[in-house]
């Protein structure tokens, strides 16, 4: 059902080249455009969702993005990164990556977990955490991961507190 002026219900939807009366259905051959904001953004989950608390995910339009190990600086493990929330992420086209995709980049830092050894727990404050090293994080659309052999991947990225 079209709203006044050919506008479809829902933000970003409109009828191209025509108007309809309120309540009138479209016709065969009508063209409907969907205009989605495609700027990359960081999203957070409800704080009661334990596994994602303190983390953010990257979205661009309707797509969810992920970090995959082949796209990171050599030696950077996606399990040992944090993302800086400012400045925000940026997007750019990469024609030679995965057959051509828009990648999203953000500033982040690595964390050093080597001091933990095989321990799963230790008293809080018993060891001072080493400072993180700045790194550039590159994210790809979630649909495109696992196409380059065995690799690590993550969607929810811990926020850098510094």
């Amino acid at each position: 059902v079209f709203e006044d002026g050919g506008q479809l219900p829902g933000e970003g939807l409109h009828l191209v080249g025509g108007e309809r009366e309120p309540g009138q259905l479209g016709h065969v051959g009508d063209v409907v455009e969907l205009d989605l904001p495609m700027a990359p953004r960081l999203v957070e989950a409800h704080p009661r969702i334990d596994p994602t608390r303190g983390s953010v995910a990257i979205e661009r339009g309707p797509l969810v993005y992920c970090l995959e190990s082949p796209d990171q600086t050599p030696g950077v493990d996606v399990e040992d990164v944090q993302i800086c929330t400012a400045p925000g992420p940026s997007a750019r086209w990469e024609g030679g990556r995965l057959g051509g995709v828009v990648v999203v980049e953000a500033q982040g830092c690595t964390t050093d977990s080597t001091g933990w050894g095989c321990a799963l727990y230790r008293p809080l404050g018993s060891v001072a955490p080493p400072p993180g090293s700045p790194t550039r994080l590159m994210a790809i659309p979630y649909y495109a991961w696992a196409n380059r052999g065995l690799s690590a991947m993550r969607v929810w990225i811990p926020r850098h507190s510094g």
Side-chain angles (χ1 to χ4, degrees):
V1 176
F2 295 103
E3 296 174 352
D4 291 327
Q7 191 68 26
L8 295 169
E11 191 175 321
L13 292 173
H14 67 277
L15 178 66
V16 177
E19 293 188 10
R20 300 283 180 267
E21 293 296 321
Q24 184 180 3
L25 297 177
H27 298 292
V28 173
D30 282 350
V31 176
V32 176
E33 283 187 355
L34 175 60
D35 183 19
L36 295 173
M38 295 301 288
R41 63 191 177 279
L42 301 177
V43 296
E44 62 183 346
H46 190 284
R48 288 189 178 174
I49 302 174
D50 244 2
T52 60
R53 187 179 298 137
S55 296
V56 297
I58 301 170
E59 292 182 347
R60 183 177 166 273
L63 300 178
V64 173
Y65 276 65
C66 65
L67 301 182
E68 189 176 23
S69 53
D71 303 306
Q72 309 313 310
T73 303
V76 171
D77 186 333
V78 297
E79 293 299 319
D80 293 330
V81 298
Q82 296 175 339
I83 191 168
C84 300
T85 57
S90 61
R92 66 183 167 85
W93 173 255
E94 281 222 1
R97 189 177 302 272
L98 294 162
V101 293
V102 174
V103 298
V104 174
E105 293 182 315
Q107 292 181 6
C109 68
T110 60
T111 59
D112 183 1
S113 60
T114 56
W116 281 82
C118 293
L120 294 178
Y121 308 96
R122 67 182 180 199
L124 181 63
S126 62
V127 177
S133 302
T135 190
R136 190 83 177 140
L137 302 175
M138 181 182 291
I140 60 168
Y142 181 80
Y143 71 80
W145 80 279
N147 283 295
R148 298 171 286 185
L150 187 61
S151 64
M153 181 278 294
R154 78 179 310 154
V155 172
W156 292 98
I157 310 157
R159 272 185 266 201
H160 180 60
S161 59

